Amino acid sequence: MPEPASPRWRAAVDQVRGRLADILGTEPTPLDPRALASYHHRFRIKSGWRLPVDFGEREPRRIDVLIPAGFPSSRPQFGLVERPPFLTWPHIERDGSLCLLANMSEIDPDDPVGVVERLLGKSCSLVEDLLEGPMIERDFRDEFLTYWRYDRNAADSRLTSILSLKRPSREIRAWQAPNIRLLGETEAQVTEWLRNRYGPDPLRRSRFERGLLMWLDSPMLPAEYPRTARDVLGLADRCGGDVPGLLADLVSERQDNLVVAFAAEGRFGPGIVSVAIPAPRDSRRSRGRSTAPLSDGFRSANIPDGVLARRYLGTTKVVRDEPKRADAAWIHGRGHDPRTERLMAATVTVLGCGSVGAPVAVALAQAGVGRLNLVDHDELSWANVGRHPLGAASVRSNKAEALAAKLRVDYPHGRFEAFPVSAQTMLAAHEGCLDENDLIVSCMGDWRGETLLNDWHCRRGRPMPVVYGWTESHAAAGHAVAIVRGGGCLRCGLGRTGVPEFQVVNWPNDAGTTLEEPACGAHYQPYGPIELGFVSSLVAQLALDGLLGKIAISSARIYAALRSTVEDLGGRWTADWVREYPARVDGGAFVDRAWSSGPCVACSRPKTGPAEI
């Protein structure tokens, strides 16, 4: 039994029908159930009308106004009745539905008549443009991935590409497995990605094949989509250069399956599609087995290259599909973030993988930093789980090793190395590794460790930025300090015991002091992951600025929580905060601040020699 219409739906439909009657001068023709059922839209079409529209042709065309069950909250749809075959015109789906709005476009549910009028106008304008013609080829090329998806004859969700979508055409590698089919540049790249993502087990059953990436000067039109292997050969000839020779060389391998990817630059960026060419098979049977026609008339090893190419690249039907992009440029900005290439080439070391350093490391990996060295000598305990990216599965594991393992799985295109040692050991035993960094982040919360790092940094002449991050009690304030060649070093702005010269919150009556567990020496800072999120974001943002060359002189960035939060915890603003930032006394603020310029005992030392630990 049909679902009864709501009063709101009926009222909206009545308003639209009345307005269409005014426009036409007569009642619009309602669509019968068969016509409604012909539209296979994700919103169930419940009602509609067929309208004649004069486009200056011999006969008027008809546009269907389609009202879904969720109207007026759901947008109305429109269909073109008299239309050419599918994929002759862009923006018309197989069932005749017109694509008028982007997926994320919103409508006004309180103005159903206005919405229908505006979209009906867009429908008429689209048909007029299509009849004129110039937009057809342009839009097919601009949105070529959409129309390829409409015409592909396979949709293997395992097919994934980590190819760099840049010229030129070139040989590639394809890896086939039950859980993934991966296209990559080289066997080494594919192997590293798979090991990061799945561990070593899948590589024991590795099956690498040679493939080809053809870079087209312009995206294919639907009429150019390859149906047979011979069509692929035609596209290779269209590319010219070395491409026909590369294809012939791959054919000579006589693989059971030859993958050819096609890439092209559209108006909105590059895209990639693919075809798989199965090795030709003869329909005749010999002793119950299929026989390949490739060698008919020749010894298998003596087939002339031209004959082999003609037979392999003949009338065999190809499998058209689209790889899911998993390359770094796509993951970190959909191919449109100009920072990605620079960040992927960067190396960052994070000292301290606790409740501040670990989220910072995760944020940098998500931003696209290509190589992270993670340093921490401590193990994850149950008390850490509530405010750490690692969960219960990593308890009793070294923080640096567990975090590196997680990031390898989550971002298999990156390089993540763990150093389960202290900062002192890192500076003594792995100084060369630190020298290779583009930036170092210190979230140790340890005065001795950060003093050693700062002294090392100064002696080396501050060759790269170092960003230090820490929280005040309850994470009611957070600090990030970037130390670069110009300006002071870390110790210029800290007291002799590591207390910052500038603080945001005072804690009368010891309200914000470090707390102690019922065990000797077991101290901790009281705050949760929500409060901490502001601080880790503060540090990560300053680190990103340092990597991108936006910091010319040592500087600080500070986060202050809402005043109500501070007061509820028993704290109050320091006199320094009120004096320097009177407009920020309500809190909830981020400020940039100059860092003390010294010189202090550390940055006045000679800038030579290895670290003295």
Side-chain angles (χ1 to χ4, degrees), residues 105-335:
S105 298
E106 300 292 347
I107 62 170
D108 181 358
D110 295 323
D111 184 19
V113 171
V115 169
V116 169
E117 281 194 280
R118 285 189 290 275
L119 291 180
L120 180 58
K122 288 181 69 73
S123 300
C124 295
S125 296
L126 173 60
V127 176
E128 288 172 350
D129 291 341
L130 291 169
L131 289 169
E132 289 178 4
M135 75 171 294
I136 295 176
E137 180 174 333
R138 180 197 69 209
D139 286 15
F140 270 137
R141 295 197 193 279
D142 285 349
E143 302 173 30
F144 70 98
L145 290 180
T146 296
Y147 300 105
W148 177 273
R149 289 168 192 155
Y150 286 153
D151 196 54
R152 63 185 179 180
N153 54 8
D156 188 347
S157 61
R158 301 172 303 156
L159 185 60
T160 306
S161 168
I162 54 174
L163 294 166
S164 176
L165 292 196
K166 296 180 178 179
R167 295 175 183 274
S169 300
R170 57 194 180 273
E171 186 176 323
I172 60 175
R173 288 293 183 269
W175 190 83
Q176 309 282 342
N179 58 338
I180 191 170
R181 296 171 57 212
L182 188 64
L183 307 182
E185 300 288 351
T186 64
E187 189 168 328
Q189 181 209 24
V190 172
T191 298
E192 183 178 14
W193 193 97
L194 290 168
R195 183 180 289 113
N196 286 343
R197 178 65 183 87
Y198 297 109
D201 288 344
L203 297 174
R204 299 191 183 107
R205 296 171 289 146
S206 62
R207 182 187 166 195
F208 282 98
E209 294 178 340
R210 297 170 66 193
L212 180 63
L213 172 65
M214 292 190 200
W215 193 274
L216 305 176
D217 288 335
S218 62
M220 290 177 279
L221 297 172
E224 299 169 325
Y225 296 164
R227 264 62 181 171
T228 66
R230 184 173 293 128
D231 295 334
V232 176
L233 178 59
L235 288 166
D237 292 336
R238 167 179 158 182
C239 288
D242 297 334
V243 176
L246 287 171
L247 182 60
D249 184 46
L250 294 178
V251 168
S252 69
E253 291 281 320
R254 305 188 205 182
Q255 298 176 170
D256 288 339
N257 197 57
L258 174 57
V259 175
V260 179
F262 300 94
E265 187 81 34
R267 184 160 62 95
F268 305 110
I272 183 172
V273 297
S274 68
V275 299
I277 306 173
R281 299 293 178 189
D282 196 344
S283 61
R284 293 173 295 171
R285 296 281 176 177
S286 175
R287 295 182 182 178
R289 293 178 300 174
S290 296
T291 59
L294 293 177
S295 59
D296 284 357
F298 299 92
R299 292 184 182 276
S300 179
N302 297 323
I303 306 174
D305 291 343
V307 174
L308 180 63
R310 285 195 301 274
R311 290 181 175 179
Y312 200 109
L313 301 174
T315 58
T316 302
K317 294 186 181 302
V318 300
V319 179
R320 295 183 302 281
D321 206 343
E322 179 191 353
K324 305 297 185 296
R325 287 185 63 180
D327 55 289
W330 187 252
I331 287 175
H332 302 293
R334 304 288 182 100

Side-chain angles (χ1 to χ4, degrees), residues 20 27 36 39 49 94 106 141 148 225 227 252 264 319 341 383 407 409 412 417 419 434 441 491 539 554 578 585:
L20 293 177
E27 281 291 316
L36 293 173
Y39 290 98
W49 305 273
R94 193 181 299 274
E106 300 292 347
R141 295 197 193 279
W148 177 273
Y225 296 164
R227 264 62 181 171
S252 69
V319 179
E341 188 169 355
L407 293 176
V409 173
E417 188 171 356
F419 294 84
L434 293 175
V441 178
R491 292 176 67 175
V539 178
S554 297
V578 174
V585 292

Side-chain angles (χ1 to χ4, degrees), residues 563-586:
R563 181 171 64 181
S564 58
T565 301
V566 173
E567 292 175 349
D568 287 347
L569 293 168
R572 65 188 183 195
W573 302 131
T574 63
D576 288 341
W577 176 261
V578 174
R579 182 182 64 254
E580 294 197 26
Y581 303 102
R584 304 298 178 89
V585 292
D586 287 333

